[in-house]
PDB file of all heavy atoms in Angstrom:
ATOM      1  N   PHE A   1      -7.880   4.559  -5.698  1.00 94.00           N
ATOM      2  CA  PHE A   1      -7.923   3.147  -5.858  1.00 94.00           C
ATOM      3  C   PHE A   1      -9.209   2.601  -5.360  1.00 94.00           C
ATOM      4  O   PHE A   1      -9.836   3.221  -4.358  1.00 94.00           O
ATOM      5  CB  PHE A   1      -6.738   2.470  -5.136  1.00 94.00           C
ATOM      6  CG  PHE A   1      -5.412   3.070  -5.634  1.00 94.00           C
ATOM      7  CD1 PHE A   1      -4.762   3.998  -5.020  1.00 94.00           C
ATOM      8  CD2 PHE A   1      -4.891   2.487  -6.825  1.00 94.00           C
ATOM      9  CE1 PHE A   1      -3.517   4.538  -5.468  1.00 94.00           C
ATOM     10  CE2 PHE A   1      -3.657   3.036  -7.254  1.00 94.00           C
ATOM     11  CZ  PHE A   1      -2.953   3.976  -6.572  1.00 94.00           C
ATOM     12  N   GLU A   2      -9.647   1.522  -5.839  1.00 94.00           N
ATOM     13  CA  GLU A   2     -10.904   0.830  -5.458  1.00 94.00           C
ATOM     14  C   GLU A   2     -10.694  -0.511  -4.811  1.00 94.00           C
ATOM     15  O   GLU A   2      -9.632  -1.119  -5.201  1.00 94.00           O
ATOM     16  CB  GLU A   2     -11.749   0.772  -6.719  1.00 94.00           C
ATOM     17  CG  GLU A   2     -12.221   2.060  -7.262  1.00 94.00           C
ATOM     18  CD  GLU A   2     -13.068   1.907  -8.542  1.00 94.00           C
ATOM     19  OE1 GLU A   2     -13.548   0.785  -8.771  1.00 94.00           O
ATOM     20  OE2 GLU A   2     -13.292   2.892  -9.191  1.00 94.00           O
ATOM     21  N   ARG A   3     -11.560  -0.908  -4.000  1.00 95.00           N
ATOM     22  CA  ARG A   3     -11.523  -2.143  -3.398  1.00 95.00           C
ATOM     23  C   ARG A   3     -11.398  -3.277  -4.401  1.00 95.00           C
ATOM     24  O   ARG A   3     -12.062  -3.247  -5.457  1.00 95.00           O
ATOM     25  CB  ARG A   3     -12.720  -2.412  -2.530  1.00 95.00           C
ATOM     26  CG  ARG A   3     -12.681  -3.768  -1.864  1.00 95.00           C
ATOM     27  CD  ARG A   3     -13.828  -4.041  -1.027  1.00 95.00           C
ATOM     28  NE  ARG A   3     -13.702  -5.369  -0.426  1.00 95.00           N
ATOM     29  CZ  ARG A   3     -14.356  -5.862   0.507  1.00 95.00           C
ATOM     30  NH1 ARG A   3     -15.278  -5.053   1.070  1.00 95.00           N
ATOM     31  NH2 ARG A   3     -14.144  -6.996   0.967  1.00 95.00           N
ATOM     32  N   GLY A   4     -10.506  -4.258  -4.148  1.00 95.00           N
ATOM     33  CA  GLY A   4     -10.318  -5.311  -5.120  1.00 95.00           C
ATOM     34  C   GLY A   4      -9.215  -5.162  -6.170  1.00 95.00           C
ATOM     35  O   GLY A   4      -8.696  -6.066  -6.726  1.00 95.00           O
ATOM     36  N   GLN A   5      -8.728  -3.914  -6.351  1.00 94.00           N
ATOM     37  CA  GLN A   5      -7.670  -3.644  -7.332  1.00 94.00           C
ATOM     38  C   GLN A   5      -6.303  -4.111  -6.792  1.00 94.00           C
ATOM     39  O   GLN A   5      -6.045  -4.159  -5.588  1.00 94.00           O
ATOM     40  CB  GLN A   5      -7.600  -2.156  -7.616  1.00 94.00           C
ATOM     41  CG  GLN A   5      -8.737  -1.655  -8.457  1.00 94.00           C
ATOM     42  CD  GLN A   5      -8.528  -0.181  -8.767  1.00 94.00           C
ATOM     43  OE1 GLN A   5      -8.145   0.631  -7.949  1.00 94.00           O
ATOM     44  NE2 GLN A   5      -8.993   0.168  -9.970  1.00 94.00           N
ATOM     45  N   PHE A   6      -5.529  -4.538  -7.719  1.00 94.00           N
ATOM     46  CA  PHE A   6      -4.179  -4.952  -7.347  1.00 94.00           C
ATOM     47  C   PHE A   6      -3.173  -3.764  -7.493  1.00 94.00           C
ATOM     48  O   PHE A   6      -3.334  -2.926  -8.558  1.00 94.00           O
ATOM     49  CB  PHE A   6      -3.551  -6.113  -8.303  1.00 94.00           C
ATOM     50  CG  PHE A   6      -4.317  -7.319  -7.944  1.00 94.00           C
ATOM     51  CD1 PHE A   6      -5.393  -7.786  -8.725  1.00 94.00           C
ATOM     52  CD2 PHE A   6      -3.910  -8.141  -6.973  1.00 94.00           C
ATOM     53  CE1 PHE A   6      -5.992  -8.974  -8.446  1.00 94.00           C
ATOM     54  CE2 PHE A   6      -4.475  -9.457  -6.688  1.00 94.00           C
ATOM     55  CZ  PHE A   6      -5.537  -9.783  -7.369  1.00 94.00           C
ATOM     56  N   VAL A   7      -2.415  -3.563  -6.577  1.00 94.00           N
ATOM     57  CA  VAL A   7      -1.473  -2.477  -6.586  1.00 94.00           C
ATOM     58  C   VAL A   7      -0.034  -2.798  -6.222  1.00 94.00           C
ATOM     59  O   VAL A   7       0.130  -3.808  -5.465  1.00 94.00           O
ATOM     60  CB  VAL A   7      -1.929  -1.283  -5.639  1.00 94.00           C
ATOM     61  CG1 VAL A   7      -3.258  -0.665  -6.102  1.00 94.00           C
ATOM     62  CG2 VAL A   7      -1.997  -1.780  -4.192  1.00 94.00           C
ATOM     63  N   LEU A   8       0.939  -2.114  -6.593  1.00 94.00           N
ATOM     64  CA  LEU A   8       2.273  -2.236  -6.133  1.00 94.00           C
ATOM     65  C   LEU A   8       2.445  -1.138  -4.974  1.00 94.00           C
ATOM     66  O   LEU A   8       2.221   0.002  -5.193  1.00 94.00           O
ATOM     67  CB  LEU A   8       3.236  -2.011  -7.273  1.00 94.00           C
ATOM     68  CG  LEU A   8       4.722  -2.352  -6.988  1.00 94.00           C
ATOM     69  CD1 LEU A   8       4.813  -3.978  -6.772  1.00 94.00           C
ATOM     70  CD2 LEU A   8       5.549  -1.971  -8.115  1.00 94.00           C
ATOM     71  N   TYR A   9       2.867  -1.720  -3.831  1.00 95.00           N
ATOM     72  CA  TYR A   9       2.994  -0.885  -2.646  1.00 95.00           C
ATOM     73  C   TYR A   9       4.391  -0.841  -2.170  1.00 95.00           C
ATOM     74  O   TYR A   9       5.033  -1.827  -2.135  1.00 95.00           O
ATOM     75  CB  TYR A   9       2.041  -1.335  -1.548  1.00 95.00           C
ATOM     76  CG  TYR A   9       2.229  -0.535  -0.274  1.00 95.00           C
ATOM     77  CD1 TYR A   9       1.794   0.812  -0.171  1.00 95.00           C
ATOM     78  CD2 TYR A   9       2.920  -1.107   0.873  1.00 95.00           C
ATOM     79  CE1 TYR A   9       2.046   1.597   1.025  1.00 95.00           C
ATOM     80  CE2 TYR A   9       3.085  -0.329   2.061  1.00 95.00           C
ATOM     81  CZ  TYR A   9       2.679   0.962   2.069  1.00 95.00           C
ATOM     82  OH  TYR A   9       2.844   1.677   3.239  1.00 95.00           O
ATOM     83  N   ARG A  10       4.877   0.409  -1.959  1.00 95.00           N
ATOM     84  CA  ARG A  10       6.212   0.587  -1.423  1.00 95.00           C
ATOM     85  C   ARG A  10       6.101   1.084   0.040  1.00 95.00           C
ATOM     86  O   ARG A  10       5.574   2.258   0.224  1.00 95.00           O
ATOM     87  CB  ARG A  10       7.078   1.545  -2.296  1.00 95.00           C
ATOM     88  CG  ARG A  10       8.357   1.810  -1.697  1.00 95.00           C
ATOM     89  CD  ARG A  10       9.334   2.499  -2.696  1.00 95.00           C
ATOM     90  NE  ARG A  10       9.782   1.387  -3.598  1.00 95.00           N
ATOM     91  CZ  ARG A  10      10.337   1.676  -4.801  1.00 95.00           C
ATOM     92  NH1 ARG A  10      10.447   2.906  -5.184  1.00 95.00           N
ATOM     93  NH2 ARG A  10      10.649   0.644  -5.549  1.00 95.00           N
ATOM     94  N   ASP A  11       6.478   0.374   0.974  1.00 94.00           N
ATOM     95  CA  ASP A  11       6.433   0.706   2.468  1.00 94.00           C
ATOM     96  C   ASP A  11       7.575   1.810   2.577  1.00 94.00           C
ATOM     97  O   ASP A  11       8.715   1.569   2.453  1.00 94.00           O
ATOM     98  CB  ASP A  11       6.799  -0.482   3.332  1.00 94.00           C
ATOM     99  CG  ASP A  11       6.600  -0.130   4.671  1.00 94.00           C
ATOM    100  OD1 ASP A  11       7.167   0.854   5.197  1.00 94.00           O
ATOM    101  OD2 ASP A  11       5.922  -0.989   5.466  1.00 94.00           O
ATOM    102  N   PRO A  12       7.021   3.063   2.821  1.00 95.00           N
ATOM    103  CA  PRO A  12       8.004   4.159   2.833  1.00 95.00           C
ATOM    104  C   PRO A  12       9.058   4.054   4.070  1.00 95.00           C
ATOM    105  O   PRO A  12      10.212   4.365   3.851  1.00 95.00           O
ATOM    106  CB  PRO A  12       7.098   5.389   2.992  1.00 95.00           C
ATOM    107  CG  PRO A  12       5.868   4.991   3.425  1.00 95.00           C
ATOM    108  CD  PRO A  12       5.718   3.508   3.042  1.00 95.00           C
ATOM    109  N   GLU A  13       8.631   3.504   5.134  1.00 94.00           N
ATOM    110  CA  GLU A  13       9.582   3.404   6.278  1.00 94.00           C
ATOM    111  C   GLU A  13      10.654   2.410   5.948  1.00 94.00           C
ATOM    112  O   GLU A  13      11.798   2.615   6.190  1.00 94.00           O
ATOM    113  CB  GLU A  13       8.817   3.100   7.544  1.00 94.00           C
ATOM    114  CG  GLU A  13       8.003   4.176   8.136  1.00 94.00           C
ATOM    115  CD  GLU A  13       7.336   3.881   9.382  1.00 94.00           C
ATOM    116  OE1 GLU A  13       7.757   3.036  10.086  1.00 94.00           O
ATOM    117  OE2 GLU A  13       6.254   4.505   9.618  1.00 94.00           O
ATOM    118  N   MET A  14      10.246   1.310   5.387  1.00 93.00           N
ATOM    119  CA  MET A  14      11.219   0.224   4.966  1.00 93.00           C
ATOM    120  C   MET A  14      12.113   0.774   3.870  1.00 93.00           C
ATOM    121  O   MET A  14      13.382   0.548   3.962  1.00 93.00           O
ATOM    122  CB  MET A  14      10.456  -0.999   4.611  1.00 93.00           C
ATOM    123  CG  MET A  14       9.712  -1.745   5.739  1.00 93.00           C
ATOM    124  SD  MET A  14       8.875  -3.173   5.183  1.00 93.00           S
ATOM    125  CE  MET A  14      10.154  -4.305   4.724  1.00 93.00           C
ATOM    126  N   PHE A  15      11.553   1.462   2.938  1.00 95.00           N
ATOM    127  CA  PHE A  15      12.423   1.942   1.812  1.00 95.00           C
ATOM    128  C   PHE A  15      13.312   2.995   2.279  1.00 95.00           C
ATOM    129  O   PHE A  15      14.604   2.834   1.942  1.00 95.00           O
ATOM    130  CB  PHE A  15      11.399   2.594   0.771  1.00 95.00           C
ATOM    131  CG  PHE A  15      12.127   3.224  -0.345  1.00 95.00           C
ATOM    132  CD1 PHE A  15      12.707   2.514  -1.346  1.00 95.00           C
ATOM    133  CD2 PHE A  15      12.286   4.635  -0.378  1.00 95.00           C
ATOM    134  CE1 PHE A  15      13.394   3.021  -2.455  1.00 95.00           C
ATOM    135  CE2 PHE A  15      12.957   5.177  -1.450  1.00 95.00           C
ATOM    136  CZ  PHE A  15      13.532   4.426  -2.434  1.00 95.00           C
ATOM    137  N   TRP A  16      12.946   4.041   3.021  1.00 95.00           N
ATOM    138  CA  TRP A  16      13.814   5.068   3.356  1.00 95.00           C
ATOM    139  C   TRP A  16      14.911   4.590   4.489  1.00 95.00           C
ATOM    140  O   TRP A  16      15.930   5.248   4.681  1.00 95.00           O
ATOM    141  CB  TRP A  16      13.068   6.213   3.927  1.00 95.00           C
ATOM    142  CG  TRP A  16      12.402   6.966   2.791  1.00 95.00           C
ATOM    143  CD1 TRP A  16      10.971   7.058   2.672  1.00 95.00           C
ATOM    144  CD2 TRP A  16      12.925   7.504   1.683  1.00 95.00           C
ATOM    145  NE1 TRP A  16      10.726   7.648   1.520  1.00 95.00           N
ATOM    146  CE2 TRP A  16      11.900   8.061   0.796  1.00 95.00           C
ATOM    147  CE3 TRP A  16      14.261   7.691   1.146  1.00 95.00           C
ATOM    148  CZ2 TRP A  16      12.007   8.654  -0.412  1.00 95.00           C
ATOM    149  CZ3 TRP A  16      14.404   8.428  -0.039  1.00 95.00           C
ATOM    150  CH2 TRP A  16      13.359   8.824  -0.740  1.00 95.00           C
ATOM    151  N   SER A  17      14.602   3.478   5.171  1.00 95.00           N
ATOM    152  CA  SER A  17      15.562   2.926   6.109  1.00 95.00           C
ATOM    153  C   SER A  17      16.488   1.905   5.480  1.00 95.00           C
ATOM    154  O   SER A  17      17.392   1.356   6.189  1.00 95.00           O
ATOM    155  CB  SER A  17      14.765   2.381   7.360  1.00 95.00           C
ATOM    156  OG  SER A  17      14.077   1.347   7.000  1.00 95.00           O
ATOM    157  N   GLY A  18      16.257   1.672   4.195  1.00 95.00           N
ATOM    158  CA  GLY A  18      17.157   0.723   3.487  1.00 95.00           C
ATOM    159  C   GLY A  18      16.834  -0.755   3.736  1.00 95.00           C
ATOM    160  O   GLY A  18      17.712  -1.642   3.498  1.00 95.00           O
ATOM    161  N   GLN A  19      15.607  -1.044   4.220  1.00 93.00           N
ATOM    162  CA  GLN A  19      15.340  -2.463   4.439  1.00 93.00           C
ATOM    163  C   GLN A  19      14.940  -3.139   3.159  1.00 93.00           C
ATOM    164  O   GLN A  19      14.516  -2.576   2.233  1.00 93.00           O
ATOM    165  CB  GLN A  19      14.289  -2.589   5.523  1.00 93.00           C
ATOM    166  CG  GLN A  19      14.639  -2.059   6.757  1.00 93.00           C
ATOM    167  CD  GLN A  19      13.438  -2.084   7.775  1.00 93.00           C
ATOM    168  OE1 GLN A  19      12.689  -3.087   7.802  1.00 93.00           O
ATOM    169  NE2 GLN A  19      13.112  -0.971   8.521  1.00 93.00           N
ATOM    170  N   ALA A  20      15.266  -4.409   3.120  1.00 94.00           N
ATOM    171  CA  ALA A  20      14.848  -5.306   1.885  1.00 94.00           C
ATOM    172  C   ALA A  20      13.340  -5.513   1.896  1.00 94.00           C
ATOM    173  O   ALA A  20      12.723  -5.454   2.921  1.00 94.00           O
ATOM    174  CB  ALA A  20      15.689  -6.589   1.925  1.00 94.00           C
ATOM    175  N   SER A  21      12.933  -5.991   0.834  1.00 91.00           N
ATOM    176  CA  SER A  21      11.473  -6.389   0.499  1.00 91.00           C
ATOM    177  C   SER A  21      10.533  -5.219   0.924  1.00 91.00           C
ATOM    178  O   SER A  21       9.442  -5.435   1.447  1.00 91.00           O
ATOM    179  CB  SER A  21      11.149  -7.570   1.462  1.00 91.00           C
ATOM    180  OG  SER A  21      11.968  -8.638   1.119  1.00 91.00           O
ATOM    181  N   HIS A  22      10.876  -4.043   0.520  1.00 93.00           N
ATOM    182  CA  HIS A  22      10.062  -2.865   0.820  1.00 93.00           C
ATOM    183  C   HIS A  22       8.967  -2.650  -0.231  1.00 93.00           C
ATOM    184  O   HIS A  22       8.060  -1.867   0.078  1.00 93.00           O
ATOM    185  CB  HIS A  22      10.899  -1.613   0.918  1.00 93.00           C
ATOM    186  CG  HIS A  22      11.797  -1.461  -0.208  1.00 93.00           C
ATOM    187  ND1 HIS A  22      11.394  -1.123  -1.573  1.00 93.00           N
ATOM    188  CD2 HIS A  22      13.124  -1.471  -0.333  1.00 93.00           C
ATOM    189  CE1 HIS A  22      12.374  -0.939  -2.274  1.00 93.00           C
ATOM    190  NE2 HIS A  22      13.435  -1.227  -1.617  1.00 93.00           N
ATOM    191  N   THR A  23       8.991  -3.341  -1.277  1.00 94.00           N
ATOM    192  CA  THR A  23       7.977  -3.151  -2.322  1.00 94.00           C
ATOM    193  C   THR A  23       7.352  -4.515  -2.635  1.00 94.00           C
ATOM    194  O   THR A  23       8.028  -5.440  -2.879  1.00 94.00           O
ATOM    195  CB  THR A  23       8.537  -2.562  -3.578  1.00 94.00           C
ATOM    196  OG1 THR A  23       9.265  -1.410  -3.267  1.00 94.00           O
ATOM    197  CG2 THR A  23       7.535  -2.259  -4.596  1.00 94.00           C
ATOM    198  N   PHE A  24       5.991  -4.499  -2.643  1.00 93.00           N
ATOM    199  CA  PHE A  24       5.223  -5.802  -2.795  1.00 93.00           C
ATOM    200  C   PHE A  24       3.940  -5.542  -3.411  1.00 93.00           C
ATOM    201  O   PHE A  24       3.348  -4.454  -3.278  1.00 93.00           O
ATOM    202  CB  PHE A  24       5.241  -6.669  -1.644  1.00 93.00           C
ATOM    203  CG  PHE A  24       4.915  -5.780  -0.339  1.00 93.00           C
ATOM    204  CD1 PHE A  24       3.557  -5.807   0.133  1.00 93.00           C
ATOM    205  CD2 PHE A  24       5.904  -5.178   0.420  1.00 93.00           C
ATOM    206  CE1 PHE A  24       3.282  -4.990   1.223  1.00 93.00           C
ATOM    207  CE2 PHE A  24       5.567  -4.461   1.522  1.00 93.00           C
ATOM    208  CZ  PHE A  24       4.302  -4.375   1.927  1.00 93.00           C
ATOM    209  N   VAL A  25       3.352  -6.626  -3.939  1.00 94.00           N
ATOM    210  CA  VAL A  25       1.962  -6.480  -4.531  1.00 94.00           C
ATOM    211  C   VAL A  25       0.957  -6.684  -3.618  1.00 94.00           C
ATOM    212  O   VAL A  25       1.066  -7.585  -2.686  1.00 94.00           O
ATOM    213  CB  VAL A  25       1.825  -7.595  -5.755  1.00 94.00           C
ATOM    214  CG1 VAL A  25       0.393  -7.608  -6.207  1.00 94.00           C
ATOM    215  CG2 VAL A  25       2.874  -7.375  -6.797  1.00 94.00           C
ATOM    216  N   CYS A  26      -0.103  -5.877  -3.564  1.00 96.00           N
ATOM    217  CA  CYS A  26      -1.185  -5.933  -2.583  1.00 96.00           C
ATOM    218  C   CYS A  26      -2.548  -5.822  -3.303  1.00 96.00           C
ATOM    219  O   CYS A  26      -2.562  -5.421  -4.509  1.00 96.00           O
ATOM    220  CB  CYS A  26      -1.081  -4.750  -1.602  1.00 96.00           C
ATOM    221  SG  CYS A  26       0.305  -4.757  -0.460  1.00 96.00           S
ATOM    222  N   ARG A  27      -3.549  -6.192  -2.525  1.00 96.00           N
ATOM    223  CA  ARG A  27      -4.837  -5.966  -3.074  1.00 96.00           C
ATOM    224  C   ARG A  27      -5.595  -4.960  -2.101  1.00 96.00           C
ATOM    225  O   ARG A  27      -5.444  -5.023  -0.850  1.00 96.00           O
ATOM    226  CB  ARG A  27      -5.685  -7.286  -3.054  1.00 96.00           C
ATOM    227  CG  ARG A  27      -6.974  -7.233  -3.613  1.00 96.00           C
ATOM    228  CD  ARG A  27      -7.709  -8.520  -3.762  1.00 96.00           C
ATOM    229  NE  ARG A  27      -8.400  -8.596  -4.994  1.00 96.00           N
ATOM    230  CZ  ARG A  27      -8.694  -9.593  -5.648  1.00 96.00           C
ATOM    231  NH1 ARG A  27      -8.298 -10.798  -5.284  1.00 96.00           N
ATOM    232  NH2 ARG A  27      -9.308  -9.529  -6.808  1.00 96.00           N
ATOM    233  N   VAL A  28      -6.205  -4.022  -2.733  1.00 97.00           N
ATOM    234  CA  VAL A  28      -6.936  -3.015  -1.904  1.00 97.00           C
ATOM    235  C   VAL A  28      -8.127  -3.632  -1.193  1.00 97.00           C
ATOM    236  O   VAL A  28      -8.994  -4.199  -1.754  1.00 97.00           O
ATOM    237  CB  VAL A  28      -7.385  -1.781  -2.771  1.00 97.00           C
ATOM    238  CG1 VAL A  28      -8.125  -0.799  -1.904  1.00 97.00           C
ATOM    239  CG2 VAL A  28      -6.217  -1.130  -3.467  1.00 97.00           C
ATOM    240  N   GLN A  29      -8.082  -3.507   0.194  1.00 97.00           N
ATOM    241  CA  GLN A  29      -9.120  -4.080   1.057  1.00 97.00           C
ATOM    242  C   GLN A  29     -10.196  -3.045   1.385  1.00 97.00           C
ATOM    243  O   GLN A  29     -11.381  -3.329   1.365  1.00 97.00           O
ATOM    244  CB  GLN A  29      -8.536  -4.614   2.358  1.00 97.00           C
ATOM    245  CG  GLN A  29      -9.433  -5.337   3.247  1.00 97.00           C
ATOM    246  CD  GLN A  29      -9.681  -6.762   2.686  1.00 97.00           C
ATOM    247  OE1 GLN A  29      -8.943  -7.203   1.937  1.00 97.00           O
ATOM    248  NE2 GLN A  29     -10.796  -7.338   3.152  1.00 97.00           N
ATOM    249  N   ARG A  30      -9.762  -1.774   1.656  1.00 95.00           N
ATOM    250  CA  ARG A  30     -10.647  -0.702   1.998  1.00 95.00           C
ATOM    251  C   ARG A  30     -10.080   0.669   1.532  1.00 95.00           C
ATOM    252  O   ARG A  30      -8.804   0.828   1.721  1.00 95.00           O
ATOM    253  CB  ARG A  30     -10.910  -0.747   3.476  1.00 95.00           C
ATOM    254  CG  ARG A  30     -11.810   0.241   3.978  1.00 95.00           C
ATOM    255  CD  ARG A  30     -12.147   0.143   5.452  1.00 95.00           C
ATOM    256  NE  ARG A  30     -12.801  -1.122   5.737  1.00 95.00           N
ATOM    257  CZ  ARG A  30     -12.448  -2.110   6.535  1.00 95.00           C
ATOM    258  NH1 ARG A  30     -11.363  -1.977   7.284  1.00 95.00           N
ATOM    259  NH2 ARG A  30     -13.193  -3.228   6.726  1.00 95.00           N
ATOM    260  N   ALA A  31     -10.902   1.603   1.137  1.00 93.00           N
ATOM    261  CA  ALA A  31     -10.489   2.995   0.906  1.00 93.00           C
ATOM    262  C   ALA A  31     -11.132   3.890   1.843  1.00 93.00           C
ATOM    263  O   ALA A  31     -12.328   3.785   2.182  1.00 93.00           O
ATOM    264  CB  ALA A  31     -10.957   3.271  -0.535  1.00 93.00           C
ATOM    265  N   TRP A  32     -10.291   4.676   2.569  1.00 92.00           N
ATOM    266  CA  TRP A  32     -10.795   5.651   3.588  1.00 92.00           C
ATOM    267  C   TRP A  32     -11.006   6.968   2.899  1.00 92.00           C
ATOM    268  O   TRP A  32     -10.331   7.367   1.903  1.00 92.00           O
ATOM    269  CB  TRP A  32      -9.800   5.760   4.681  1.00 92.00           C
ATOM    270  CG  TRP A  32      -9.636   4.375   5.409  1.00 92.00           C
ATOM    271  CD1 TRP A  32      -8.551   3.497   5.264  1.00 92.00           C
ATOM    272  CD2 TRP A  32     -10.511   3.915   6.370  1.00 92.00           C
ATOM    273  NE1 TRP A  32      -8.751   2.418   6.091  1.00 92.00           N
ATOM    274  CE2 TRP A  32      -9.983   2.638   6.743  1.00 92.00           C
ATOM    275  CE3 TRP A  32     -11.720   4.311   6.969  1.00 92.00           C
ATOM    276  CZ2 TRP A  32     -10.527   1.826   7.772  1.00 92.00           C
ATOM    277  CZ3 TRP A  32     -12.388   3.481   7.893  1.00 92.00           C
ATOM    278  CH2 TRP A  32     -11.726   2.310   8.267  1.00 92.00           C
ATOM    279  N   LEU A  33     -11.881   7.756   3.515  1.00 88.00           N
ATOM    280  CA  LEU A  33     -12.388   9.061   2.903  1.00 88.00           C
ATOM    281  C   LEU A  33     -11.093  10.075   2.870  1.00 88.00           C
ATOM    282  O   LEU A  33     -11.053  10.869   2.031  1.00 88.00           O
ATOM    283  CB  LEU A  33     -13.372   9.701   3.767  1.00 88.00           C
ATOM    284  CG  LEU A  33     -14.762   9.053   3.722  1.00 88.00           C
ATOM    285  CD1 LEU A  33     -15.787   9.656   4.568  1.00 88.00           C
ATOM    286  CD2 LEU A  33     -15.273   9.082   2.200  1.00 88.00           C
ATOM    287  N   GLU A  34     -10.207   9.923   3.723  1.00 86.00           N
ATOM    288  CA  GLU A  34      -9.091  10.895   3.841  1.00 86.00           C
ATOM    289  C   GLU A  34      -7.985  10.488   2.725  1.00 86.00           C
ATOM    290  O   GLU A  34      -6.948  11.174   2.680  1.00 86.00           O
ATOM    291  CB  GLU A  34      -8.420  11.015   5.260  1.00 86.00           C
ATOM    292  CG  GLU A  34      -7.738   9.716   5.727  1.00 86.00           C
ATOM    293  CD  GLU A  34      -8.730   8.822   6.491  1.00 86.00           C
ATOM    294  OE1 GLU A  34      -9.906   9.022   6.545  1.00 86.00           O
ATOM    295  OE2 GLU A  34      -8.253   7.860   7.010  1.00 86.00           O
ATOM    296  N   GLY A  35      -8.262   9.486   2.029  1.00 87.00           N
ATOM    297  CA  GLY A  35      -7.425   9.122   0.831  1.00 87.00           C
ATOM    298  C   GLY A  35      -6.333   8.117   1.240  1.00 87.00           C
ATOM    299  O   GLY A  35      -5.313   7.901   0.510  1.00 87.00           O
ATOM    300  N   THR A  36      -6.526   7.326   2.270  1.00 94.00           N
ATOM    301  CA  THR A  36      -5.608   6.200   2.639  1.00 94.00           C
ATOM    302  C   THR A  36      -6.282   5.019   2.390  1.00 94.00           C
ATOM    303  O   THR A  36      -7.507   4.935   2.206  1.00 94.00           O
ATOM    304  CB  THR A  36      -5.046   6.335   4.105  1.00 94.00           C
ATOM    305  OG1 THR A  36      -6.258   6.302   4.986  1.00 94.00           O
ATOM    306  CG2 THR A  36      -4.291   7.653   4.336  1.00 94.00           C
ATOM    307  N   TYR A  37      -5.548   3.846   2.447  1.00 96.00           N
ATOM    308  CA  TYR A  37      -6.039   2.624   2.143  1.00 96.00           C
ATOM    309  C   TYR A  37      -5.580   1.504   3.095  1.00 96.00           C
ATOM    310  O   TYR A  37      -4.482   1.551   3.592  1.00 96.00           O
ATOM    311  CB  TYR A  37      -5.628   2.163   0.715  1.00 96.00           C
ATOM    312  CG  TYR A  37      -6.000   3.215  -0.319  1.00 96.00           C
ATOM    313  CD1 TYR A  37      -5.257   4.284  -0.616  1.00 96.00           C
ATOM    314  CD2 TYR A  37      -7.179   3.133  -0.991  1.00 96.00           C
ATOM    315  CE1 TYR A  37      -5.696   5.328  -1.522  1.00 96.00           C
ATOM    316  CE2 TYR A  37      -7.632   4.063  -1.896  1.00 96.00           C
ATOM    317  CZ  TYR A  37      -6.882   5.165  -2.129  1.00 96.00           C
ATOM    318  OH  TYR A  37      -7.253   6.085  -3.087  1.00 96.00           O
ATOM    319  N   ASP A  38      -6.422   0.481   3.179  1.00 97.00           N
ATOM    320  CA  ASP A  38      -6.048  -0.758   3.832  1.00 97.00           C
ATOM    321  C   ASP A  38      -5.712  -1.790   2.818  1.00 97.00           C
ATOM    322  O   ASP A  38      -6.553  -1.913   1.841  1.00 97.00           O
ATOM    323  CB  ASP A  38      -7.132  -1.290   4.811  1.00 97.00           C
ATOM    324  CG  ASP A  38      -7.306  -0.505   6.016  1.00 97.00           C
ATOM    325  OD1 ASP A  38      -6.443   0.362   6.370  1.00 97.00           O
ATOM    326  OD2 ASP A  38      -8.273  -0.654   6.712  1.00 97.00           O
TER     327      ASP A  38
END
């Protein structure tokens, strides 16, 4: 993913613990070399 792109993000901890509102639309702020994103 690149900075500025819109993505659908699913928070894995919230999802696997059964919490509501675990999936939401985000904008990519920063891409890290190890393959993670802010």
Side-chain angles (χ1 to χ4, degrees):
F1 302 97
E2 297 176 11
R3 182 181 177 163
Q5 289 181 319
F6 289 97
V7 296
L8 191 63
Y9 174 68
R10 176 165 286 163
D11 185 310
E13 290 182 25
M14 291 176 70
F15 175 77
W16 291 116
S17 64
Q19 296 178 44
S21 303
H22 51 68
T23 304
F24 43 94
V25 176
C26 293
R27 187 173 218 152
V28 177
Q29 187 76 20
R30 181 176 293 128
W32 296 100
L33 291 176
E34 66 272 5
T36 61
Y37 302 87
D38 287 347

